[in-house]
């Protein structure tokens, strides 16, 4: 359902996070009225009320949605939430802000999803598309020199999609699995970075999680961009993927190639901050996706400029300090076993200290334990609540000298400083979300930064 049609009905907005606020801004003038519902208390949201909007806060507020013609559901509401079935039984139309935007704007969208690497891949695509191309007339993208339309970074990173200004610019949209679930029209170019085990309580099962990810492509994408292992997983849960035109990224080799196989540069020519294995994979996907978006051969110089200007994203393998001879790395957004493995492999360090632990979601950490047990380099693990000890249970049983419990993050930082020697990398890569003890990953990261700073206070 398109925004113009929604704005004439009585609209319910379930959840007033970033996306919910963008929805409210788009439909606040609906003549039939707008109902906002959030089970949190108003004081927790710090939202400025708009006149004429019916706000409802706290437990029991969901019933107000039954008076609406349609409900726009925020991404944080699990697909397994029982009240969704209550709304469906009343034949109330359900959608999301991202899905509404795509109904009208899919032709200019490059959508990026995946278990890990989607933010980096999306930002790389944006960096490439933001460069002048010199030639070409890409559909819905850029023309002439490529400077007249540009690109916008949005979705789960950057602007909420309903806050993106109208115009011809290509919109590179990072889409979480929560956002993908509601999609009824796919972006023109759909990118899936990888698929692992994640977000099972929200989706209900691993198969449903992968199926929901696949929705980014099977509702009208012109081209799918992924690698061979990811394609096999997509096909295993969604046979319609077989029918899609697909660009496959290489998983090894030195060349970074355009969609027609033309070599644009080599791995050795990448900026140093993009040479780690998992980042090279993001570059390969980004180059293919950018070429598909432009529908014209990429300029090697434009690609190089875009990659050179790309800044590492915060909380993703971000080096925050080298004081005291140790290298302190913030990888707080790591929430899976595979992302912890990638964090260790990203650095050529003889000794690594991992800090793991966060909210337990019942996922398997066997791949991480297998990796640690087989690693030729020394890796010590500091296990913090809530699930740190469980994350490395097998590794701890077989190498008890390498696993060190800590009561919290500050204690873990102090312990790492004692265990580490010059050149050691200390990486906060939790392998789990932060909601068990923190409001979000940013709050956990802030405590890590503060604890490291207190070890080595700046000289006045």
């Amino acid at each position: 359902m398109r925004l113009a049609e929604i704005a004439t009905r009585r609209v319910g907005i379930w959840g007033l996070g970033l996306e919910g606020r963008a929805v409210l801004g788009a439909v606040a003038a609906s003549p039939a009225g707008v109902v906002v519902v959030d089970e949190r208390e108003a004081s927790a949201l710090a939202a400025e009320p708009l006149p004429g909007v019916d706000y409802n806060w706290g437990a029991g507020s969901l019933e107000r949605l039954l008076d609406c013609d349609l409900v726009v559901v925020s991404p944080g509401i699990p697909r397994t939430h029982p009240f969704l079935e209550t709304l469906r039984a009343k034949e109330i139309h359900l959608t999301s802000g991202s899905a509404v935007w795509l109904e009208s704007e899919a032709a200019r969208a490059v959508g990026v999803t995946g278990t890990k690497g989607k933010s980096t891949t999306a930002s790389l695509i944006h960096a490439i598309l933001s460069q002048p191309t010199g030639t070409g007339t890409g559909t819905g993208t850029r023309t002439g020199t490529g400077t007249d339309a540009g690109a916008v970074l949005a979705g789960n990173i950057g602007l909420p999609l309903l806050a993106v200004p109208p115009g011809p610019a290509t919109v590179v949209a990072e889409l979480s699995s929560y956002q993908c679930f509601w999609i009824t029209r796919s972006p023109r170019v759909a990118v899936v970075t990888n698929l692992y085990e994640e977000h099972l309580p929200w989706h209900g099962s691993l198969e449903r999680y992968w199926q929901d990810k696949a929705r980014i492509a099977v509702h009208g994408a012109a081209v799918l961009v992924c690698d061979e292992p990811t394609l096999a997983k997509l096909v295993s849960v969604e046979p319609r993927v077989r029918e899609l035109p697909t660009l496959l990224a290489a998983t090894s080799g030195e060349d970074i190639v355009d969609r027609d196989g033309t070599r644009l540069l080599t791995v050795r020519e990448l900026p140093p901050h993009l040479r780690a294995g998992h980042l090279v994979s993001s570059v390969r996907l980004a180059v293919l996706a950018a070429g598909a978006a432009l529908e014209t051969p990429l300029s090697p110089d434009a690609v190089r400029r875009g990659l050179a200007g790309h800044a590492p994203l915060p909380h993703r393998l971000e080096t925050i300090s080298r004081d005291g001879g140790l290298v302190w790395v913030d990888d707080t957004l790591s929430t899976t076993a595979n992302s912890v493995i990638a964090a260790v492999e990203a650095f050529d360090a003889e000794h690594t200290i991992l800090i793991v632990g966060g909210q337990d979601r019942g996922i398997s950490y066997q791949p991480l334990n297998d990796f640690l047990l087989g690693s030729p380099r020394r890796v010590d693990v500091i296990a913090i609540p809530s699930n740190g000890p469980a994350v490395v249970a097998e590794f701890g049983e077989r190498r008890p000298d390498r696993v060190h419990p800590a009561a919290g993050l500050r204690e873990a930082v102090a312990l790492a400083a004692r265990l580490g020697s010059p050149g050691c990398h200390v990486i906060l890569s939790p392998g789990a979300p932060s909601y068990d003890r923190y409001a979000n990953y940013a709050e956990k990261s802030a405590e890590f930064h503060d604890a490291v700073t207190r070890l080595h206070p700046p000289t006045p």
Side-chain angles (χ1 to χ4, degrees):
M1 187 177 293
R2 293 173 180 254
L3 181 60
E5 184 179 0
I6 286 175
T8 64
R9 303 190 179 195
R10 184 166 177 79
V11 180
I13 300 174
W14 184 355
L16 203 59
L18 286 177
E19 186 166 304
R21 294 182 195 188
V23 174
L24 180 57
V27 303
S30 171
V34 176
V35 176
V36 171
V37 167
D38 198 300
E39 292 181 278
R40 296 170 293 178
E41 295 301 323
S43 58
L45 297 169
E48 186 69 28
L50 294 177
V53 175
D54 178 10
Y55 292 92
N56 301 270
W57 312 112
S61 60
L62 294 181
E63 297 292 326
R64 294 289 293 120
L65 296 174
L66 296 172
D67 297 330
C68 299
D69 300 319
L70 63 94
V71 173
V72 185
V73 184
S74 292
I77 308 304
R79 63 170 289 172
T80 55
H81 197 295
F83 199 75
L84 289 172
E85 288 306 315
T86 301
L87 294 171
R88 291 189 182 102
K90 294 286 187 179
E91 298 185 347
I92 295 172
H93 182 80
L94 301 174
T95 186
S96 74
S98 297
V100 169
W101 184 87
L102 282 167
E103 282 294 321
S104 301
E105 303 289 349
R108 66 177 177 129
V110 177
V112 184
T113 196
T115 303
K116 286 298 165 189
K118 53 186 177 292
S119 294
T120 297
T121 303
S123 63
L124 286 166
I125 298 169
H126 175 257
I128 295 170
L129 291 179
S130 296
Q131 297 299 313
T133 60
T135 59
T137 55
T139 302
T141 315
R142 311 175 69 178
T143 59
T145 63
T147 59
D148 54 340
V152 177
L153 189 60
N156 210 38
I157 182 175
L159 288 173
L161 284 169
L162 279 174
V164 171
T170 296
V171 177
V172 184
E174 180 195 326
L175 296 169
S176 69
S177 58
Y178 307 165
Q179 292 166 316
C180 288
F181 168 71
W182 295 102
I183 286 177
T184 52
R185 188 173 181 193
S186 297
R188 184 165 60 89
V189 179
V191 183
V192 183
T193 60
N194 46 55
L195 291 173
Y196 301 121
E197 188 177 18
E198 178 71 298
H199 301 307
L200 302 192
W202 197 100
H203 295 273
S205 70
L206 179 61
E207 181 179 23
R208 285 182 177 176
Y209 168 57
W210 289 2
Q211 286 173 337
D212 290 341
K213 285 288 194 185
R215 294 177 69 87
I216 195 174
V218 297
H219 291 283
V223 61
L224 168 66
V225 181
C226 59
D227 58 29
E228 192 75 58
T230 303
L231 179 63
K233 291 176 179 178
L234 288 169
V235 170
S236 72
V237 297
E238 178 49 86
R240 287 179 291 175
V241 170
R242 294 183 186 274
E243 303 166 11
L244 295 170
T246 303
L247 296 174
L248 290 176
T251 53
S252 62
E254 279 296 306
D255 293 341
I256 308 294
V257 302
D258 200 352
R259 60 183 182 140
D260 62 359
T262 301
R263 185 177 73 176
L264 297 172
L265 70 163
T266 66
V267 172
R268 288 190 296 273
E269 295 175 279
L270 291 174
H273 76 277
L274 292 175
R275 291 179 192 164
H278 68 292
L279 295 173
V280 173
S281 297
S282 291
V283 171
R284 295 186 196 277
L285 292 167
V287 167
L288 291 177
L294 287 169
E295 296 184 345
T296 190
L298 291 172
S299 158
D301 287 341
V303 172
R304 286 188 175 91
R305 286 195 304 270
L307 298 179
H310 175 267
L313 298 174
H315 317 301
R316 296 170 179 86
L317 297 174
E318 176 189 11
T319 297
I320 63 170
S321 174
R322 295 180 181 272
D323 290 331
L326 304 183
V327 181
W328 298 88
V329 180
D330 178 4
D331 192 38
T332 317
L333 281 174
S334 161
T335 58
T336 68
N338 298 85
S339 60
V340 180
I341 294 169
V344 177
E345 292 184 326
F347 301 98
D348 186 19
E350 292 185 5
H351 183 200
T352 299
I353 299 175
L354 279 173
I355 302 175
V356 303
Q359 182 185 43
D360 183 63
R361 293 156 304 149
I363 69 171
S364 171
Y365 290 96
Q366 192 61 48
L368 174 59
N369 284 269
D370 292 342
F371 169 79
L372 293 172
L373 289 167
S375 176
R377 293 180 288 179
R378 180 180 177 91
V379 181
D380 283 277
V381 181
I382 300 176
I384 64 174
S386 296
N387 71 340
V391 167
V392 289
E394 183 178 350
F395 183 57
E397 288 178 5
R398 296 174 60 177
R399 293 303 307 268
D401 58 313
R402 296 283 183 89
V403 175
H404 317 273
L409 188 50
R410 292 185 183 277
E411 183 179 313
V413 168
L415 179 56
R418 295 196 298 271
L419 292 173
S421 56
C424 174
H425 283 57
V426 182
I427 308 174
L428 171 60
S429 189
S434 306
Y435 300 119
D436 57 331
R437 291 194 165 192
Y438 303 89
N440 50 41
Y441 68 86
E443 186 174 288
K444 187 171 190 172
S445 170
E447 182 171 317
F448 180 60
H449 284 235
D450 183 66
V452 173
T453 300
R454 288 175 182 272
L455 279 178
H456 308 286
T459 303

